[in-house]
Amino acid sequence: MKRILVAIAFALGLLAPAALQPVRADGAEITVPADVIVARIKAALPAAAKGRSHALRLNNAGRALRIPASASLADVQVSRLHFDERSGGFNAVLRLPAEGGAREESVTGRIEETATVPVIASNLSSGDVIGERDIAWIEVPARQVGGHIVTSKQDLVGMALRRPLRANSMVRHSDLQRPVAIKRGSLVTMVVATDRITLTAQGQALEDGGIGDRIRVTNTSSNSTVIGIVQSPREVRVMSGTRVAEYRR
């Protein structure tokens, strides 16, 4: 299982080229590590492809290409490469050292453009407020990042979660809300302010709301319902033009 995971990591280009030394198959041959193959193919890609952030995947990452134990990995080179820019697919012909000369092997795969996005670093619960330490960054296929995915750290810090999220989860905008400042059912001060006068009345919140959110509030004296903007955990400013009965100054 460990070998499979390592092979996948190499195919994705997630490990450094020098991560492994050649693996001896027997006394006469060594196996060319997948990361060496990936590095050679990346180096041979057209300039336009090199300028992108991308992951390179081999179609048969577990395939073993062997060379004589006396040979050098530096002799493993790409002799020909066909790359389809539209699909990202490639067919690379590798020139490998062999006893008495060299041989060629064909390797196929594809490259996929990637994007680096912020994710939740550890499991968080509904209502948890996200801090800078709660954020990590991962590289994912760019096709997975639509307009619904949060791509900026600034859009995460200080926001609360609407639902639990597991570690390394990308965050949707719909997963976020302002931290709840006023909870449904709590008593608040309703405020209407004009240039000349400020009126207040006691109200009861009919829904949760964060600072800046609009919520419905019932005047506890008149039972009339109005819309207000949350100013603080105890104050709701009634929107201009909304009538609230029985204020006291």
Side-chain angles (χ1 to χ4, degrees), residues 78-82 91-94 104:
V78 175
S79 59
R80 297 188 300 279
L81 175 70
H82 173 73
N91 187 325
V93 177
L94 297 176
E104 291 186 337

Side-chain angles (χ1 to χ4, degrees), residues 97-170:
E99 293 293 346
R103 76 179 198 278
E104 291 186 337
E105 296 280 356
S106 180
V107 177
T108 61
R110 67 190 302 267
I111 67 169
E112 188 168 38
E113 190 170 357
T114 61
T116 303
V117 297
V119 295
I120 299 303
S122 58
N123 296 347
L124 293 180
S125 302
S126 176
D128 285 349
V129 177
I130 302 171
E132 294 210 17
R133 294 184 178 180
D134 297 317
I135 298 173
W137 295 85
I138 63 171
E139 192 174 29
V140 298
R143 58 182 169 78
Q144 295 182 8
V145 184
H148 62 295
I149 296 295
V150 177
T151 58
S152 169
K153 179 178 73 173
Q154 288 71 25
D155 291 337
L156 289 178
V157 175
M159 298 297 285
L161 292 178
R162 294 182 183 273
R163 65 184 182 90
L165 286 181
R166 293 182 177 274
N168 294 322
S169 295
M170 289 191 291

